């Protein structure tokens, strides 16, 4: 480098270092030496600062700078090394998350134990053979929802699922179900290609897109596409559905054209040759045989995939898998439900299933062996048997199989009590977990017990645990008849994936095959139906009256003499007092009056949770004639107590204890138990056992809760061997009663109906307090199924040889027909209670897998309609394949269709206004002799002009009218002599020169006064002035029009003298009225002349008369072939209507609940839960979280911020209105703030009810608000959240303690749902408030752990 001069003699020089090109300053000596040329060079030669750029280096630089992924230096710098960053690598991953699987794998083959070969190994274990299996055949497990891959959710959502997860693909769906909703119709049917072929404009908007590309002004390029029929197609091939078509255009459109060509060809007609046919925009023609195949293809495209799913024929193999079950081949053709009853299975059971998954210490019944055999085969099973018959054995074996196969099994029950009890029963045998609304114990267990609502929530939220489930056990399937919760069973059955098998346990119902067939058809798998109608312990039925038992039924047969003996005793007892009591000796009228008075008294009674204020006669059946208004008087209580004492003494004397007494009222149970004050049925040892048990059970309660009135009272009853069981008891008290009854120390148990459903505790005897119950709406007789369910608790298997059922009789003996219906009548059929709910619609709209329409089709309510779809499809094919009749018009262009449409419309208007116009008093005044009228013809599809000849009289209620007919009747065409002409009712006007004496006489006008006698035989035919006429009687509704014109008639000559001249004169006058171009004279004005007031009728009348004039001007009017063509047009229209009706029945619009669905969709759009494209918005996602309360009211409450200004205690108190269920309670005392919140929430419910009514949802706003919001416990919950003791809050209301506990427990679940909704909304303040509210109510006796779970 050259020397750089610097001030103060500090010279330096500049150099470069390295590839980076950095400058280097080198100081120089202060004295300048002699200039040397070499000094201009650096001390050493450095490489160039920038390497020479080449195409390769530039490419490498761009690749390193922009293409190779690298971390962001600002984010992932050394200074930030200690921070954790949320980085979703899955969103940026461009490779498959799962490695590709091999096309085939080696897997062991499973064989039935009966076919396994003997093992030669030392362990004597069966070793399966291996075979190569295609991976696609093994992928029959839990399928993903939609076309996108499914990613496993976080561990916290493994059991319950999440609103962000997609549900698994429901079983029974076809392969095309999911794509039908993802792909728009325009992208599948090729309509866009057809538009281009027809010369349409270029497409810039792809099918299914909202916006397209802006390509400027593009002009269409004109092309003429020719379609040729391939000559080499073998038409005889049965697989060819339609002729192959080849097109001369770009391959870009070929796929869409091939997909849509069938619809296009189906619109054409038959070609005349195989030469190149017309252009695409003209009609294509095919022969009849090919049209049939084309129609088949069209129908298969138009019908939904569910139509194929619910077809009659089974898609599975009909070959039996076992040689012991060959009888199922014929049944496979009938349906998916295969009835059991194969005796060979029971005989060879140990040979067929030598290695059982679970051994039982007793011999199995035949139906149990058969069910276990089918479970071993991997089939779904429906077991129908009586109570205590041993259905639980099948559930236990399903648990054992799941444990053996390292899978999971789920046991669902309708009642929480059953879930807790089954958890205790299975806990020692299997790895069991429990999931209910408020309890979650060991959810990782292989055998899970849960309520059906929990399983539904898991299915909708796509819980990953569903992948592992092999069996789902539905206990008490007949609960599907429940009006409120029955829909849950149908939802779960429809939503379960196809890898899950069913075990259905039910009481005996008449239509088990029908219900199983629905499940099998919906899930596309066979359902084995087995069970027994034999009771393990036979029952005898008795009446208890006047201290004695009268046997009335044994072995399902009524014993008449037993019933007769009871009635004889009734008559004998009441004969002495018949006069004073109003003669109630068996009188049916008196019995009915008694029932009526009891019904009225009970409906007016007010509930009381402690002592009960209902009159005793309301339920006891006391004679109203013998009692005063003091139902709770001392005399009434004494007689009631004596009745129970006599019954207990009788049962105790003949060793029929323990006994369950069913009373259909909580208050009735309490009062009946309190009446037995002096009864003590326990020994000293039993008293000690009861005392120790109660002390241990109630020791978990705090001091004040142990002294609750209910706890103290029940303990006193239990020590005397008397128990009470109903929904008003505290949960821990109910469990103590149940456990002590199962131990046998409780001898008498007064219970409501829920005991028979929720507790497996049989007794020696069952007593019915009455055979009538209140079902929430009205008092009615017990149903046979209800009676059978409760009576089934009589008889302990292994202890009793026979079970006894007693019906208590007070003031009357039931009729034989009533007893026969209840005792031996047919059980209630399983009926669908399916209904649409908003949360169901939102869950289904949230995912692409299952449409709401598909859910409706798969419901049990639509089962029979969907089962007929294949037959309707074949019928539609035949209808479409029928040759079309052609109407050949002799006047040129056919106008018969237009004429027939006018005729049909006129007929419709005629039916609408006939009653209003023709039957009015004013119109009857105009229908006098001489009035010109228009009457409907009986022979031709035309209208006849006529005149009224005679008005109705006392002898005849018809008008006699002369009508002009368009042609001679067929009888006139036959030759007839002069003698025959005199004797017939026909009259032809002959020329005057050829008339005889009689003819001249009849043709002269008679001036004499008529007598009113009708000498013509009606109908009377004739011909005059070249026109045919007819005289006949006409009813009021046969008149089509009353004309303005009137003519002079000779009534005597027409009816009495039968004068040919009178007929000729009348006919000529009528012809003159229609000779001015109009066939009919103008009609009377409906307003001025007929004095009609209804504007709708007047408007229809004008339209009707205008149609008559248009028909008269039509060229088809008066045609000789009019009748023939009208019939053809009617047949063609009828054919079209039949085809349209069949298409409608096969479409989604024919579903029963489709109108309700459309209305609910409009409601969801209006409130913002979904948008116009049915995409669920954030408001809809919040509504999906609301399971315990009405989803719309809860969601609106959150989005209107109604809880923001409330404290946590106040918020949870108002929220109690969502879960409280009792209708009638005492009025709570609320603070002003709570009163304002209550009014605000109620107004929201009224507004939502009015909105639903606006969109035709069957909802009454007032009933909607009252049914979904019950504020009876707002004050109680408010005080409980503030820390008030339970004993004190019970004094604030008349609601039973058990209902209070149940409401608060459910309220905790509601708080959790609101907390999740707050997280979705992003409302952290509400989230924290709900957490504080939940903590405030979770304390003391309300959330005491269940004895079934923790044990004693």
């Amino acid at each position: 480098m050259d020397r750089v001069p610097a001030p103060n003699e500090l010279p330096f020089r500049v150099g470069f270092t390295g590839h980076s090109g950095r400058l280097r300053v080198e100081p120089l000596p202060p004295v300048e030496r002699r200039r040397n040329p070499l000094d201009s060079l650096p001390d050493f030669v450095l490489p160039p600062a920038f390497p020479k750029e080449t195409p390769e280096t530039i490419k490498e630089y761009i690749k390193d700078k922009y293409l190779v992924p690298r971390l962001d230096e600002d984010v992932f710098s050394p200074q930030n090394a200690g921070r954790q960053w949320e980085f979703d690598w899955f969103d940026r991953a461009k490779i498959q998350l799962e490695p590709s699987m091999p096309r085939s794998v080696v897997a062991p083959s499973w064989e039935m134990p009966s076919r396994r070969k003997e093992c030669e190994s030392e362990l004597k274990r069966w070793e399966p053979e291996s075979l190569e299996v295609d991976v696609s055949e093994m992928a029959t497990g839990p399928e993903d929802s939609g076309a996108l891959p499914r990613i496993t959710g976080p561990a916290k959502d493994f059991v319950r699922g999440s609103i962000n997860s997609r549900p698994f693909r429901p079983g029974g769906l076809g392969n095309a179900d999911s794509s039908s909703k993802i792909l728009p119709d325009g992208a599948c049917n090729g309509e866009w290609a057809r538009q281009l072929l027809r010369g349409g404009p270029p497409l810039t908007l792809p099918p299914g897109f909202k916006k397209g590309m802006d390509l400027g002004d593009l002009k269409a390029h004109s092309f003429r596409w020719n379609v040729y029929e391939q000559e080499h197609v073998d038409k005889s091939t049965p697989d060819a559905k339609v002729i192959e078509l080849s097109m001369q255009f770009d391959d870009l459109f070929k796929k869409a054209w091939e997909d849509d060509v069938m619809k296009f060809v189906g619109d054409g007609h038959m070609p005349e040759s195989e030469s190149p046919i017309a252009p695409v925009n003209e009609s294509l023609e095919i022969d009849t045989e090919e049209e049939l195949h084309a129609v088949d293809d069209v129908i298969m495209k138009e019908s939904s995939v569910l139509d194929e799913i619910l077809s009659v024929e089974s898609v599975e193999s009909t070959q039996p898998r076992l040689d012991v079950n060959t009888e199922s081949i014929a049944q496979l053709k009938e349906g998916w439900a295969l009835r059991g009853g194969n005796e060979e299975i029971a005989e060879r059971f140990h040979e067929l299933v030598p290695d059982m998954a679970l051994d039982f210490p007793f011999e199995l019944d035949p139906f149990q062996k058969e069910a276990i055999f089918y479970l071993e085969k991997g089939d779904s099973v429906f077991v129908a048997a009586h109570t205590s018959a041993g259905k639980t054995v099948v559930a236990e074996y399903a648990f054992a199989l799941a444990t053996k196969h390292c899978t999971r099994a789920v046991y669902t029950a309708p009642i929480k009590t059953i879930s807790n009890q089954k958890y205790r029963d299975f806990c020692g045998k299997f790895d069991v977990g429990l999931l209910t609304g408020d309890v979650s114990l060991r959810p990782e267990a292989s055998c899970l017990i849960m309520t059906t609502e929990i399983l539904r929530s898991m299915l909708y939220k796509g819980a990953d645990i569903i992948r592992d489930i092999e069996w789902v056990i539905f206990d008490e399937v007949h609960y599907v008849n429940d009006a409120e919760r029955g829909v849950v069973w149908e939802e779960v059955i429809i939503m379960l994936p196809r890898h899950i098998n069913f075990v259905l346990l039910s009481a005996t119902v008449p239509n088990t095959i029908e219900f199983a067939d629905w499940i099998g058809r919906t899930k596309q798998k066979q359902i084995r139906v087995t069970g027994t109608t034999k009771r393990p312990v036979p029952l005898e039925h008795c009446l208890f009256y006047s201290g004695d038992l009268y046997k009335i039924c044994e072995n399902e047969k009524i014993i008449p003499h037993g019933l007769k003996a009871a009635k004889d005793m009734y008559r004998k007892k009441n004969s002495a007092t018949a006069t004073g009591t109003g003669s109630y000796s068996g009188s049916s009228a008196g019995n009915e009056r008694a029932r009526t008075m009891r019904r009225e008294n009970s409906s007016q009674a007010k509930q009381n949770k402690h002592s009960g204020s209902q009159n005793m006669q309301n339920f006891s059946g006391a004679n109203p004639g013998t009692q005063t208004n003091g139902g709770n008087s001392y005399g009434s209580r004494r007689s009631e107590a004596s009745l129970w004492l006599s019954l207990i003494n009788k049962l105790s004397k003949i060793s029929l204890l323990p006994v369950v007494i069913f009373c259909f009222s909580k208050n009735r149970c309490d009062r009946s138990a309190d009446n037995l004050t002096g009864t003590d049925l326990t020994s000293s040892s039993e008293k000690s056992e009861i005392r120790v048990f109660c002390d241990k059970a109630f020791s978990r309660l705090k001091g004040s809760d142990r002294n609750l009135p209910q706890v103290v009272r029940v303990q006193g009853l239990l020590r005397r061997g008397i128990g009470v069981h109903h929904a008003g008891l505290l949960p821990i008290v109910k469990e103590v009663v149940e456990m002590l009854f199962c131990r046998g120390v409780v001898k008498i148990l007064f219970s409501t109906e829920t005991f028979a459903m929720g507790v497996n505790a049989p007794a020696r005897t069952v007593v019915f307090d009455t055979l009538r119950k209140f079902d929430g709406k009205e008092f009615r007789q017990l149903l046979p199924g209800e009676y059978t369910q409760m009576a089934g608790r009589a008889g302990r298997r292994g202890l009793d040889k026979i079970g006894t059922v007693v019906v208590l009789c007070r003031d009357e003996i039931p009729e034989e027909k009533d007893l026969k219906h209840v005792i031996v009548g047919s059980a209630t059929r399983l009926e669908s209670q399916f209904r649409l709910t908003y949360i169901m619609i939102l869950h289904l709209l949230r995912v692409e897998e299952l449409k709401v329409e598909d859910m409706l089709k798969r419901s049990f309510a639509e089962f029979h309609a969907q089962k007929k779809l294949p037959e309707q499809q074949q019928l539609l094919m035949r209808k479409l394949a029928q040759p079309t009749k052609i109407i050949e018009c002799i006047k040129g262009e056919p106008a018969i269709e237009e004429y027939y449409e006018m005729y049909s419309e006129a007929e419709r208007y005629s039916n609408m206004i006939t009653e209003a116009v023709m039957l009015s008093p004013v119109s009857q005044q105009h229908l006098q002799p001489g009035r010109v009228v228009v009457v409907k013809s009986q022979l031709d599809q035309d209208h006849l002009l006529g005149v009224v000849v005679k008005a109705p009289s006392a002898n005849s209620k018809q008008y006699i009218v002369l009508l002009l007919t368009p042609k001679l009747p067929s009888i006139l065409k036959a030759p007839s002599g002069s003698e025959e002409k005199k004797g017939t009712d026909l009259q032809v006007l002959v020329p005057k020169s050829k008339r005889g004496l009689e003819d001249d006489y009849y043709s002269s006008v008679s001036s004499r006064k008529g007598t009113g006698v009708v000498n013509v035989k009606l109908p009377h035919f004739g011909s005059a002035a070249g026109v045919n006429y007819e005289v006949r009687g006409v009813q009021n509704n046969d008149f089509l029009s009353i004309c303005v014109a009137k003519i002079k008639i000779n009534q005597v000559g027409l009816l009495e003298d039968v004068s040919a001249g009178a007929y000729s004169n009348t006919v000529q006058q009528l012809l003159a009225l229609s000779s001015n171009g109009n066939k009919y004279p103008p009609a009377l004005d409906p307003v001025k002349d007929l004095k009609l007031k209804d504007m709708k009728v007047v408007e229809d009348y004008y339209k009707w008369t205008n149609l008559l004039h248009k028909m008269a001007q039509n060229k088809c009017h008066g045609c000789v072939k009019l009748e023939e063509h009208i019939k053809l047009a009617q047949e063609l229209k009828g054919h079209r209507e039949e085809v349209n009706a069949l298409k409608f029945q096969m479409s989604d619009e024919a579903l029963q609940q489709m109108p309700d669905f459309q209305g609910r969709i409009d409601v969801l759009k209006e409130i913002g839960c979904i948008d116009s494209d049915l995409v669920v918005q954030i408001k809809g996602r919040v509504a999906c979280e609301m399971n315990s309360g009405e989803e719309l009211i809860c969601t609106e409450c959150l989005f209107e911020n109604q809880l923001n200004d409330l404290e946590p205690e106040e918020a949870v108190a108002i929220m109690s209105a969502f879960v409280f269920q009792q209708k009638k309670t005492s009025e709570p005392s609320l603070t002003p703030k709570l009163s304002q919140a209550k009014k605000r929430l109620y107004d929201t419910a009224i507004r939502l009810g009015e909105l639903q009514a606006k969109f035709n949802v069957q909802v009454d706003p007032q009933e909607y608000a009252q049914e979904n919001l019950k504020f009876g416990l707002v004050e109680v919950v408010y005080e409980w959240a503030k820390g008030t003791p339970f004993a004190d809050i019970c004094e604030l209301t008349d609601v039973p303690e058990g209902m209070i506990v149940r409401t608060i427990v459910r309220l905790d679940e509601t708080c959790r749902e609101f907390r999740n909704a707050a997280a979705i909304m992003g409302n952290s303040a509400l989230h924290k408030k709900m957490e504080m509210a939940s903590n405030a109510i979770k304390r003391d006796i309300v959330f005491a752990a269940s004895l079934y779970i923790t044990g004693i």
Side-chain angles (χ1 to χ4, degrees), residues 544 547-549 644-656:
F544 180 79
D548 291 324
L549 291 175
W644 287 117
L645 285 175
S646 62
L647 173 64
I648 300 304
N649 292 333
K650 182 69 174 179
L651 297 178
S652 178
K653 186 178 299 183
I654 57 178
S655 302
L656 292 182

Side-chain angles (χ1 to χ4, degrees), residues 988-1142:
V988 180
L989 190 62
V990 297
K992 188 174 181 180
S993 58
K994 297 183 180 180
R995 294 178 191 168
L997 294 176
E998 294 181 355
D999 291 332
D1000 283 336
Y1001 172 78
Y1002 284 118
S1003 62
S1004 62
V1005 178
S1006 174
S1007 60
R1008 65 184 176 85
K1009 187 177 181 180
T1011 60
V1013 178
V1014 179
N1015 293 327
V1016 294
K1017 183 179 179 181
L1018 301 179
H1020 174 74
F1021 301 98
S1023 176
V1027 178
N1028 303 320
Y1029 66 84
E1030 175 188 359
V1031 181
R1032 60 182 172 92
V1034 176
Q1035 299 288 348
N1036 287 357
N1037 54 2
D1038 290 334
F1039 290 108
L1040 295 176
S1041 176
I1042 304 175
C1043 300
V1044 177
K1046 292 186 67 176
I1047 63 175
K1048 294 182 179 180
I1049 62 171
N1050 184 359
Q1051 188 178 26
V1052 177
L1054 293 175
L1055 299 180
E1056 295 186 26
D1057 300 339
V1058 196
S1059 170
Y1063 281 101
S1064 176
N1065 183 27
T1066 305
V1067 170
Q1068 289 178 6
Q1069 291 185 70
L1070 290 176
L1071 290 176
L1073 293 175
S1074 59
S1075 62
N1076 56 356
N1078 293 329
K1079 186 171 183 180
Y1080 308 115
L1084 291 174
D1085 187 270
V1087 178
K1088 296 180 180 180
D1089 300 324
L1090 299 179
K1091 309 298 183 183
L1092 294 180
K1093 304 298 183 181
D1094 191 348
M1095 295 301 299
K1096 179 66 170 58
V1097 177
V1098 173
E1099 183 180 356
D1100 292 344
Y1101 188 84
Y1102 281 130
K1103 293 179 180 179
W1104 178 52
T1105 53
N1106 291 334
L1107 282 173
L1108 298 183
H1109 288 293
K1110 289 182 180 180
M1111 292 173 62
Q1113 296 173 0
N1114 191 286
K1115 61 183 180 180
C1116 291
H1117 201 72
C1119 177
V1120 295
K1121 290 191 174 183
L1122 178 62
E1123 180 181 0
E1124 177 185 351
H1125 290 174
I1126 282 288
K1127 291 181 179 179
L1128 285 176
Q1130 187 175 9
E1131 291 180 5
L1132 292 176
K1133 185 177 181 180
H1135 180 267
R1136 288 195 300 268
E1137 291 177 350
E1138 290 178 358
V1139 170
N1140 293 335
L1142 285 173

Side-chain angles (χ1 to χ4, degrees), residues 153-167:
K156 65 182 181 65
D157 299 329
F158 179 76
V159 177
R160 298 275 184 169
S162 171
I163 194 68
N164 299 319
S165 303
R166 301 197 316 274

Side-chain angles (χ1 to χ4, degrees), residues 823-835:
I823 298 176
V824 298
S826 177
T828 307
R829 292 172 53 87
L830 294 178
E831 300 288 346
S832 175
Q833 303 296 332
F834 189 86
R835 68 182 188 278

Side-chain angles (χ1 to χ4, degrees), residues 1147-1204:
S1147 66
D1148 294 342
E1149 301 300 326
L1151 298 175
Q1152 297 178 8
Q1153 301 193 36
M1154 185 55 66
D1156 185 49
F1157 168 61
Q1158 296 294 345
R1160 291 179 183 269
I1161 286 292
D1162 294 337
V1163 171
L1164 292 175
K1165 289 181 181 178
E1166 184 70 20
I1167 64 178
C1169 288
I1170 58 177
D1171 60 9
S1172 57
D1173 296 326
L1174 304 184
V1175 177
V1176 180
Q1177 305 300 301
I1178 184 173
K1179 203 171 188 179
R1181 292 169 60 86
V1182 169
C1184 289
E1185 291 285 349
M1186 304 301 167
N1187 294 308
S1188 56
E1190 212 284 332
E1191 50 268 24
L1192 294 189
I1193 302 178
C1194 294
T1195 305
E1196 288 297 307
C1197 173
L1198 289 178
F1199 278 84
E1200 292 177 358
N1201 298 322
Q1202 296 187 14
L1203 304 179
N1204 283 11

Side-chain angles (χ1 to χ4, degrees), residues 331-343:
Q331 294 179 346
L332 282 171
K333 300 179 181 179
E334 299 176 1
W336 293 93
L338 305 181
R339 187 184 296 275
N342 193 341
E343 298 179 357

Side-chain angles (χ1 to χ4, degrees), residues 886-923:
I886 301 177
I887 301 177
E888 299 179 356
C889 183
I890 62 176
K891 296 184 179 181
E893 297 181 1
I896 189 62
E897 293 185 359
E898 179 184 358
Y899 186 85
Y900 181 74
E901 290 296 331
M902 291 189 296
Y903 171 79
S904 302
E905 189 175 1
E907 193 75 16
R908 182 170 57 88
Y909 281 124
S910 174
N911 296 332
M912 293 170 57
I913 66 177
T914 294
E915 183 177 359
V917 175
M918 299 304 173
L919 301 181
S920 64
V922 179
S923 63

